[in-house]
Amino acid sequence: MIEQTPFHSKITLASNPEPRCPCVLVLDTSGSMGGEPIQQLNDGVQCLVDELCKDGLASKRVELSIITFGSSVNLACDFTPPTAMHPPVFDAEGPTPMGEAVVRAHAAIESRKEEYRQAGIQYYRPWIFLITDGEPTDSNSEHWSKAIQMVREGEAAKRLLFFGVAVNNANQKTLDQLCPATRPSVKLQGLHFSEMFRWLSSSLKSVSNSTPGAQLQLPSPHGWTSIDA
Amino acid sequence: MLIFDETGRAWPLGKEIAAGGEGKVYRLLDSTEYCAKLYHKLPIPALKQDKLRALRSLPASARQSAAIPVSLGFATSGDPAPHSVILPLVKGHDIYELYNPQGRQAHFRGATFEFLVAAAKNVAAAFHSLHEHGIIVGDVNEQNIKVRTDATVSIIDCDSFQFEHAGRLYTSDVGTPLWTPPELQGLSVHGLARTKNHDAFGLAQLVFLLLFAGRYPYAGRPLTNTPLSPEEAIQRHAFAYATAGSAPLLGPPPGAPPFESIPPKLRELFIQAFAAGSAGPVERPGAGAWIEALQDLADNLTLCPGSHFHVHWTGAPSCPWCSVMRAVKVDLFPGIAGRVEENNIGTQENSVLAKRLLDLTLHPLELVEPSTFAVTSFIANRPTQKSQPSFRSAAKQFLVSVATLFTNRPAGESQPSVLSAAMQLLGFSVTKETRGNALTKELEKLEERLFQFSNRSEELNLAHRAQCSPLLQKASDLAARLRDIPAMREEALKQLRVKHMEAAMDKFLERFLIRRIKIPGIGEARLAALLSAGITTAADVREEAVKNVAWFGAATAAKLLEWRRQCEAQFKFDASAPLPDPLRSRINELVRTNLAALVAKGKSIEFEFNQLTAAYSKDFGKLQQEFESAIKERAAVQAELSKKS
Ligand SMILES: Nc1ncnc2c1ncn2[C@@H]1O[C@H](COP(=O)(O)OP(=O)(O)O)[C@@H](O)[C@H]1O
């Protein structure tokens, strides 16, 4: 009998040997994101996927995964090429287990990297892109300290790129405990999620296109960050 | 928008083709042969302007292999400084769409290894011609080479070429890490004088990617515990397919065609390009060497008996594409097989429904505060004819009271009487205030009520959203699955084809009876052990099974497995032949039942959503009516109030 297979398994590592750039979106879907913010976030993620699909090379290299944190930490989408991705619609509810979500993202990256190695596929420095409008409700747990440690070590060894984005009244001070000192969190201007994700898309594209010897040059995030951060 | 060429001719700009780091490339409306690149950064720096002018002077023979500008472009005719260049429009696709199996399926469907070899040779020829003119490409990468449908290529982004003109060296200044030779890794390329040998690295990598169906020379299974970034792997000469003496860092990745599937000469060239010279840069094979070796390969290709699309070198130990298929269950050259008419089952229907499902959206309503309505109603409630009499009557009353005072009081008391008249007037306004108080209260109450409306509308919206979002989620999931139907079908077909091949292979291997064949190293005793373990034919010789035979060492097991491989190599399978009917109809059945179920579900979701939306609109309409009448009431009270003040 023929078993059915989920769609993205079709695009196996074997039929696309391009080097990969794995990117985990760690998204705050706690109650406070309800209403306009969560809707904008949904649209923004779709916009990211659309932008990546338009680029023949990026759509073969970038793999997206989505982890949400709200009433629980949830792997909303495992690593998938943009062309096969149908981002789920997020609902906002519950607390903000940010630390646990970051630990989970880290684990997801590690296991994906192992799959790349097994398949003989090269990969670029993985990204974690965290978006929150609050502060962690698990900052007293071991998750939080573990998350901080993982980000710190990963960044120091250049094995990870961590971005923290603060929305509305997010506690940036706490968020900055997590962010690397060289790349503190940025504040999203209003709810400009689409602009932000468009920026993320072109940044991911530029990962493999930078000129040697020059620092990794990301496009300016001017269009979506707030200066009064 | 118009751009002007050097002769002053105006060209209307057409659609944007693509945007690069330095500029945007547009079509020209009047031409199918040329396009224009408009630079982002204006004015173009003086050095770059000089370089663009110098590019114009490159010989015509160099133009065959590269999209070298034919004219500078200007914003207005007579402008001294250019803002663009006009260059030949290159049709075709970026080269990565050819070597990457997915890209190939999408853009070069049906292209075989023969096509890839031809393209590789054309790439080498393009480099050869540029190098002959002393031009260095510099920024060799997968996005700067386009391949046409006849396998000819053209190099674009010529403004990053390095060349000499009028005694001056114009450097490339850009590069791409994944395409940078070991000796330049990590160095700044700005102002760096590149050599042909640097280009030769990128050229070798392009040839490798084409011959190994998208595999990178430096991507492999790690043999050490130190992870290598793509750039580190280049820097450390970690060629995954062979080494030049030193301990290997990487082994060939699973699912890559074996290194032995190309002729020894080409293998040698690759080793020279990628593995050799860990001590320092050595000469890599030049374009000429590649052309010769690739021509030789092109002359010695054969077709795998198993598939019309599996073209390979005549000297390959076995068909490399079949062995990839066995290893990772992916056919890198499926050709146009599997694209039969059944492929269209339901595609029309499902894509229309999928689109409708994706188009389902919430349209949250808002209470429309009829601001225009409020103004007009206010005016209507306060007609000038009405207010005029009231003012007039106030004035009249004043005059009358003054008159009566004058007539009823003795002379000399005029002062106080005017005063009392004023008092009366004041009294008049006092009574007005008490009436106003009641109105203000009423207004407050109304405001309160109106405030409640926004809560009520929000509640309605939230409830509607809560009802619909699981439904919308289902709709988008379903749309995705509907759109995946062709992919699902193709996937099922592929799996079935692989299974079909495996079954045929097993049948074939069953013909090799162990006891009839003399296998070196397998004596009577070992043979008996094998037979008693149930291993009687080549089909039974599997790694697990052989290892489990008591007292068999690794060496014996290896010998057996090698024997099986030899048997396998004799296997001929016609993968292009249509699948047997029963298998095909099974797939069609699978697709049809899946499709029917999805369509039914999709339609019911659509129906439910429309019902919910209709009910919501009705509720909202009622609320809007209530809201409007409350606003009207408020306007009336406001009018009344302002009338009194
Ligand atoms: N001559 C051309 N014909 C067709 N498409 C072109 C041509 N030149 C450039 N393009 C398209 O425009 C994109 C950007 O051009 P490129 O010259 O590489 O810009 P940049 O140097 O700014 O990166 C290319 O990737 C290609 O798709």
Side-chain angles (χ1 to χ4, degrees), chain B residues 300-619:
Chain B
N300 290 288
L301 292 176
T302 184
L303 199 58
C304 163
S307 158
H308 290 318
F309 300 100
H310 288 187
V311 177
H312 60 83
W313 174 48
T314 45
S318 63
C319 172
W321 316 120
C322 283
S323 65
V324 169
M325 209 160 139
R326 278 197 293 274
V328 285
K329 315 255 181 279
V330 167
D331 190 350
L332 296 181
F333 293 93
I336 43 175
R339 279 261 137 181
V340 274
E341 61 303 336
E342 296 129 76
N343 219 4
N344 295 327
I345 294 180
T347 41
Q348 208 47 35
E349 196 183 355
N350 61 29
S351 69
V352 171
L353 180 62
K355 181 155 178 10
R356 279 212 318 262
L357 285 172
L358 284 177
D359 284 347
L360 293 183
T361 30
L362 285 179
H363 292 290
L365 298 168
E366 256 171 54
L367 286 176
V368 195
E369 172 144 13
S371 53
T372 46
F373 154 83
V375 168
T376 46
S377 69
F378 184 65
I379 291 170
N381 282 349
R382 203 189 134 193
T384 38
Q385 302 94 307
K386 250 192 194 170
S387 62
Q388 262 175 353
S390 72
F391 278 115
R392 222 180 263 161
S393 64
K396 216 194 244 165
Q397 208 167 347
F398 175 70
L399 286 178
V400 168
S401 57
V402 170
T404 41
L405 282 173
F406 274 104
T407 46
N408 293 347
R409 306 283 161 166
E413 283 185 8
S414 58
Q415 237 19 20
S417 56
V418 174
L419 206 99
S420 69
M423 288 290 284
Q424 249 190 315
L425 246 175
L426 260 176
F428 173 69
S429 66
V430 167
T431 50
K432 202 174 131 187
E433 209 164 78
T434 38
R435 264 176 69 194
N437 256 340
L439 279 174
T440 316
K441 278 234 176 77
E442 200 178 330
L443 189 64
E444 271 168 19
K445 252 193 225 152
L446 271 169
E447 293 287 2
E448 178 92 2
R449 228 178 98 202
L450 279 168
F451 183 71
Q452 292 302 324
F453 273 99
S454 80
N455 281 345
R456 285 170 64 193
S457 81
E458 198 163 318
E459 269 165 30
L460 259 182
N461 278 335
L462 281 177
H464 179 54
R465 162 101 58 89
Q467 266 183 326
C468 290
S469 36
L471 213 58
L472 285 176
Q473 170 74 55
K474 273 191 215 153
S476 85
D477 289 351
L478 221 99
R481 289 178 59 195
L482 277 167
R483 293 199 158 166
D484 287 350
I485 288 259
M488 184 199 85
R489 179 175 188 286
E490 209 154 322
E491 180 62 20
L493 203 70
K494 257 203 253 161
Q495 285 183 15
L496 209 64
R497 204 170 241 122
V498 169
K499 286 210 173 124
H500 179 54
M501 184 198 75
E502 282 173 342
M505 161 91 89
D506 268 350
K507 244 201 188 122
F508 175 77
L509 290 178
E510 277 165 16
R511 305 211 305 251
F512 295 85
L513 297 176
I514 291 192
R515 98 191 117 70
R516 292 244 188 97
I517 290 159
K518 185 88 196 107
I519 305 168
I522 307 287
E524 282 303 317
R526 286 202 164 105
L527 185 64
L530 278 173
L531 294 179
S532 69
I535 300 176
T536 56
T537 72
D540 304 323
V541 178
R542 294 179 197 277
E543 203 162 333
E544 281 314 299
V546 175
K547 269 192 194 145
N548 287 338
V549 178
W551 58 265
F552 264 35
T556 315
K559 265 180 207 142
L560 274 166
L561 288 169
E562 178 52 36
W563 173 67
R564 178 189 159 112
R565 262 190 293 277
Q566 283 166 11
C567 300
E568 276 180 3
Q570 298 172 42
F571 173 61
K572 306 212 184 321
F573 174 68
D574 186 5
S576 65
L579 279 174
D581 275 343
L583 292 184
R584 276 224 314 245
S585 56
R586 224 162 80 191
I587 295 222
N588 293 342
E589 202 43 49
L590 175 85
V591 171
R592 229 172 278 159
T593 45
N594 260 295
L595 187 64
L598 290 180
V599 167
K601 222 184 260 169
K603 287 191 175 155
S604 84
I605 287 176
E606 203 179 17
F607 180 74
E608 198 181 334
F609 180 81
N610 289 339
Q611 294 262 303
L612 285 175
T613 307
Y616 160 75
S617 314
K618 209 168 133 201
D619 290 350

